[in-house]
Amino acid sequence: MNPRRHRRFSLTRHKQSLWAIPAFGLLLLAGMWTAAIKQLAADESGLLARITQDTHAYASAFEQYTRHAIDEADRLSLLVKFEYEHHGAGDLSPLIRAGVIDGQSIVLVSIIDADGELIASSQPLRPVHVADRDYFKAHKARDTGLLDISKPVIGRASGRPVIQLSRRMNKPDGSFAGLVLLTVTPDYFMQFYSQSDLGRQGSLGLVGMDGIPRARRVGNESTTADDGSGPDLVARAEASGDGVFEATSFADGISRFVAYRRMPDYPFIVTAAKARDEALDPLRQSSVQYLVVRWIATAVIVIFFSIVTVLAFRLQRHRGDLKRERQFLESILNNLPSGIAVRRMRGAEVGEYVLWNEAREAMYGVAANGVLGHTVEEVLGSERAASVIELDRQMIASPMVQENTDIRQIEGRGVRAFNVVRAPVFGADDKIEYIMSSATDVTVERKRNDELRLASRVFETTADGIVVSDGKDRVIMVNTAFSKLTGFSAAEMMGQRVDESPFRAIDSDAYAVRMQQLLRDGCVTGEVPRVAKDGTPLSLWITATLVQDADGKIVNYVRVFSDISLLKTTQHKLEQLASFDTLTGLPNRRLLQDRLGQALLRAERSGTSMALMFIDLDGFKEVNDTLGHDIGDLLLREVAGRLQKCVRATDTIGRFGGDEFAIVLEEASMPHHLVAVGERIVAALAEPFWLDGHLVHTSASIGIALYPPDGTDPMTLLKNADVAMYKAKRAGRNRFEFFDDANLEFELAS
């Protein structure tokens, strides 16, 4: 080594080590404030994320509430429309007495005639004329079949801002008969505010896609006043169906976090907003407390290191005061949270402990008077001391900071783990004079790490697919079973919002309901459809839960997907067995009645006709009695096959029971089409059957009931078709008869 260089190092090293004390203090302060700034930023980011989630959740819940309110009003309007159009009911008092209309409700139900005059109301009103209203003109000009929701108007009866919900009524010929009019105040849509926690300056809003507000509530005040934000909100809703943004209200100058959702079924946008100042107030209060603590800690650290630095320099200048200064330093060290121990490494007392602070006593359960003046062998025993002495040797050979983990059995505390940092303390001759060790109890941290490793193993080995997302519902991990089940790798899912990921929900409405329940209850289960990466449809059972911190903030979403495809397949087979006749493969009585009901609904909507044929085999009992039930079963299968050839593919044939069959014929042109079908069936079943070496003769007696003249519901049609079938039996069999129509009797030669 260069002698000059070595000498320069020797002369300056001790002074440099003294300057390391304030330098370390500055680094400690810098680290503490850096961590504090990051923590405040993280707290603000987390709070903003929670505010965004909360307002988004309120907007979603308000959308559901608004949709329900409109749907309830529409159902009421349809009921009044039906009573008026079918029974000419212009009096609402029966509906009020029945409790269908609440006479004291904020909803005022009225009937307006074709001239715009009020003819009935759920509450006493003076005569009102509305023919000049836009909604009246629109309904009169065209029947949209939809509920109309007007812009806010001043009610002519009440003189207050109201919203009119109206539906057109028609005369039997389809011409304009007037309106069902439901009058509500803005509070009808804003009652949801009392169920929410938007604060004193929060707001709810219902805005049309025309940019005009229908209702708005700020705090405890409901209004229809336009605050000028409609056009911007419409532009946002057209660009994205939902979202959250920050805006300052033109009406009161308050900045708010605004969540909006465009309603899919109605031309409206719902908004829920929290005032920025109110929302961030908890953060400001906690930040002030947090900073006060940090400033106190800063003052303590500055004072501590100032004192230590001053003392260190004084110690260099005033050797005579060493004992007093050392006692003072030991007093400070005894108040440090880390367990500090110092051993002498030079002189006659080499290896002896010269410092053992109070935190060290508490950690190791050994009092200082049992350690000071003793060597490591005397304190720890020869076996444990050997490892410490080896570390001493390594440090003397290469003076560097050492860090290791010390596992100890502590009396009264059990097994504890300590993180030990050992550092050399140099003397004036630049040689190690002491070795200082600082111990920190890390038992809890190690236990947490072990639990995390166990959880990780369980996570990766479970058979169900698991998706874990953060508080913003962005995917942070998926397990191997998920990738095997769906085909999507972790790389394809990571960082994406669950509802925007490749494995997003395909049942958006049901997904919104599930998310609402999840946020409300903290857990939701149910069957969900999904699509694998290769396009394969999946039937899954989902169990979703929230993970929240002590303050109720959502930290994670955990979703577990179980494959129930096999169960669904089995269920489908069971449904097939429950709906189809096992002998003929035709729909059974239950399924046939269901399809008949659906056919009647379609005929009613489209204004078309339909028919039901009821068929009974003639002489079937004799076949069973003489040739046996096996031949009878063969005959029934053959009859089913022939019937299928006699009708269209869109018609439904079913086995009603025993030797009885029924056919549902939709959009049949009466009566010639039915006559042709009846003749084909009679002729087809009159042909002999060759069954397992037996020639079997049978025929059919058929009854026909028509919709609408012979019945408008399934039970009536079935009963009348059965009556017509017995009429064919009495008339000689091997024929068909229409229900109660003496002019349409046809008989075929046997």
Side-chain angles (χ1 to χ4, degrees), residues 597-627:
Q598 295 177 16
L600 285 171
L601 290 175
R602 287 192 291 271
E604 180 181 1
R605 285 196 298 266
S606 61
T608 58
S609 58
M610 62 159 291
L612 176 67
M613 287 187 171
F614 200 87
I615 304 169
D616 185 82
L617 297 182
D618 302 325
F620 179 75
K621 185 176 183 300
E622 289 79 0
V623 174
N624 267 344
D625 293 343
T626 58
L627 300 179

Side-chain angles (χ1 to χ4, degrees), residues 44-60 243-246 257-260 272 274 279 471-472 497 519:
E44 181 177 7
S45 177
L47 181 59
L48 290 175
R50 187 169 66 187
I51 293 169
T52 299
Q53 292 171 355
D54 288 349
T55 52
H56 191 275
Y58 282 129
S60 178
V244 180
F245 62 96
E246 184 178 353
F257 298 101
V258 183
Y260 68 91
K274 282 189 172 184
K472 297 181 180 180
R497 281 183 55 87
L519 294 172

Side-chain angles (χ1 to χ4, degrees), residues 70 304 310 418 669 741:
I70 295 174
F304 171 78
V310 170
F418 302 99
S669 56
D741 193 342

